[in-house]
Amino acid sequence: MALPTWLSSRLALPVVASPMFIASGPELVIAQCQAGIVGSFPALNARPAALLTDWLSRITEENAAYQAAHPEAIVAPFAVNQIVHRSNDRLEADMAVIVEHKVPIVITSLGAREEINEAVHSYGGIVLHDVINDRFARKAIEKGADGLIAVAAGAGGHAGTQSPFALVQEIRAWFDGPLLLSGAIAHGRSILAAQAAGADLAYVGSAFLSTTEANVVDGYRQMIVDSAAADIVYSNLFTGVHGNYLRGSIVAAGLDPDNLPESDPSQMNFGSSTDAKAWKDVWGAGQGIGAITAGLGTAELVATLTEQYDLARRDLAAVLDQPAALPVR
């Protein structure tokens, strides 16, 4: 499909690591980039807001130093996620910092806004926008987004409900630009499946919650390793937007995961202390975590995903080389 050359040529594996609230910080982003995948973090993770400048400088400088010391290595670019919902009172100030640092990729969520896209385009960056259905995808492109992230059923955090096959199929019927697929991708086979379905890149988040570089407590890290798809609960209680959460963390918070009340979506307030507490105490994760059986460093996890991906490509090539099966009568 239509990935910019400066992006496709700087990937060791066709993966963008999704920005995870609280969990994604400079340590994880730097490790992801140096492992050859796009690392990302939400701007709101830099608290207080003045810390955002420090984080961007550190990521840029450490990746450049690593590349200089290892000229043969593939060091991927990084991305920053912006919640563009009107309740994010940091948006304007954070965007000024992003423009100043010329962040190469900006991931926008919860609303598409032309002025944000124009600001990123002013210095040559690209905007990828989270969508959960075809209607939102069309709006995002109409307002100037360069690419789309199809957040399908099973994704961690704020996830949609549509099958990845249906969602990608509808988007690809009219859009041939950069397309990422999110939703229960935690194995190299799933990365290849995302490409086979029509996406350019896989969007992987929950698998990195188990890594040593993730900014999570040890209990969260271990729960990722110990849990599977059946341990994921879909609810809008915690932020006003439906998302996937670990059953064990909901129980530990004193709630019944099978009888959670509905929240009022109009009360969304991203970036507030209440929202941060919700994510701190109730832990997000996607349905793909059954593939994660050990806590690894980021470099080791990416190496494992790469090995799985390469094996899946070989296995699929062998299947495709076989004679076509006889038609069913």
Side-chain angles (χ1 to χ4, degrees):
M1 301 299 178
L3 284 180
T5 303
W6 61 261
L7 174 56
S8 60
S9 64
R10 295 172 61 193
L11 292 173
L13 187 66
V15 167
V16 172
S18 63
M20 299 179 290
F21 194 46
I22 300 178
S24 298
E27 294 80 9
L28 181 57
V29 172
I30 291 166
Q32 290 166 337
C33 293
Q34 293 180 7
I37 66 171
V38 174
S40 73
F41 70 94
L44 290 173
N45 278 8
R47 297 172 186 252
L51 198 59
L52 181 58
T53 292
D54 296 338
W55 283 19
L56 294 177
S57 296
R58 178 183 172 189
I59 292 167
T60 301
E61 292 166 5
E62 291 197 23
N63 281 345
Y66 183 85
Q67 184 72 85
H70 303 85
E72 76 291 348
I74 297 176
V75 180
F78 70 96
V80 174
N81 172 227
Q82 282 283 48
I83 301 295
V84 300
H85 189 266
R86 298 289 179 179
S87 66
N88 179 7
D89 58 10
R90 282 182 45 174
L91 180 59
E92 184 175 344
D94 285 350
M95 278 306 304
V97 176
I98 283 173
V99 171
E100 178 186 356
H101 286 263
K102 298 182 178 180
V103 173
I105 304 168
V106 174
I107 297 168
T108 52
S109 307
L110 297 170
R113 292 170 59 175
E114 293 179 3
E115 69 272 23
I116 301 299
N117 298 333
E118 290 168 358
V120 177
H121 294 158
S122 71
Y123 60 82
I126 65 169
V127 177
L128 305 175
H129 188 71
D130 278 353
V131 298
I132 60 171
N133 58 43
D134 185 66
R135 180 170 65 89
F136 289 158
R138 290 175 185 270
K139 285 186 176 181
I141 297 304
E142 287 171 3
K143 293 190 175 183
D146 302 285
L148 299 166
I149 302 169
V151 185
H158 296 133
T161 58
Q162 292 187 355
S163 158
F165 297 115
L167 186 52
V168 170
Q169 172 183 279
E170 291 189 1
I171 293 171
R172 276 298 183 217
W174 58 270
F175 181 66
D176 62 0
L179 178 60
L180 286 63
L181 178 60
S182 171
I185 299 176
H187 192 284
R189 284 193 302 265
S190 302
I191 296 170
L192 183 62
Q195 292 182 300
D200 298 294
L201 303 171
Y203 197 61
V204 180
S206 300
F208 290 100
L209 291 167
S210 67
T211 63
T212 54
E213 293 89 353
N215 181 34
V216 299
V217 297
D218 288 340
Y220 193 174
R221 189 175 286 110
Q222 189 59 47
M223 194 174 288
I224 293 293
V225 173
D226 294 340
S227 300
D231 300 304
I232 302 301
V233 177
Y234 191 63
S235 173
N236 79 337
L237 173 62
F238 307 108
T239 67
V241 178
H242 274 92
N244 283 315
Y245 302 89
L246 285 165
R247 175 177 292 270
S249 69
I250 296 173
V251 172
L255 299 170
D256 180 357
D258 296 316
N259 293 283
L260 295 175
E262 290 286 309
S263 180
D264 180 0
S266 68
Q267 300 304 308
M268 288 188 292
N269 188 17
F270 295 96
S272 70
S273 59
T274 300
D275 184 52
K277 188 176 188 302
W279 287 98
K280 181 179 179 182
D281 298 336
V282 179
W283 302 331
Q287 293 177 0
I289 55 174
I292 305 303
T293 58
L296 304 172
T298 295
E300 189 176 2
L301 175 59
V302 173
T304 298
L305 292 172
T306 301
E307 182 179 353
Q308 295 166 345
Y309 175 79
D310 290 341
L311 179 59
R313 291 181 65 182
R314 291 195 295 271
D315 288 346
L316 182 59
V319 170
L320 295 176
D321 282 343
Q322 294 179 3
L326 293 175
V328 177
R329 297 184 183 277

